[in-house]
Amino acid sequence: MSGLLAFFSPGPIELVFILGLASVLVLTLGWVTQLVVLRARNSNLAPCPDCGKYISHQAPACPKCGRPLLPDQNA
């Protein structure tokens, strides 16, 4: 039985990999959560249909890609 546990126990390289992967996952989830909260607070913003950048409903055009916004999209 102890031979089986020794075969499946992670070594130092595997532990570093697992910790690095867990860190990336935690950082990514934190970033996504902050992004969702920020966008929920700014309900006067909407994504540009072309580039996806969040812009004001009152903007005549997207400042990133320059796409003109139609009047019905600004409502």
Side-chain angles (χ1 to χ4, degrees):
M1 182 73 160
S2 65
L4 186 62
L5 287 176
F7 180 74
F8 288 112
S9 65
I13 293 175
E14 289 85 4
L15 288 175
V16 168
F17 177 76
I18 291 169
L19 289 174
L21 191 60
S23 299
V24 168
L25 181 64
V26 167
L27 291 173
T28 302
L29 287 175
W31 178 77
V32 168
T33 303
Q34 286 180 350
L35 188 62
V36 167
V37 168
L38 178 65
R39 289 184 178 167
R41 279 191 220 150
N42 291 326
S43 60
N44 63 336
L45 300 179
C48 172
D50 284 348
C51 69
K53 178 180 167 75
Y54 274 75
I55 56 176
S56 171
H57 288 288
Q58 300 172 353
C62 177
K64 182 177 179 185
C65 68
R67 180 178 193 253
L69 301 175
L70 299 175
D72 61 327
Q73 289 178 334
N74 288 334

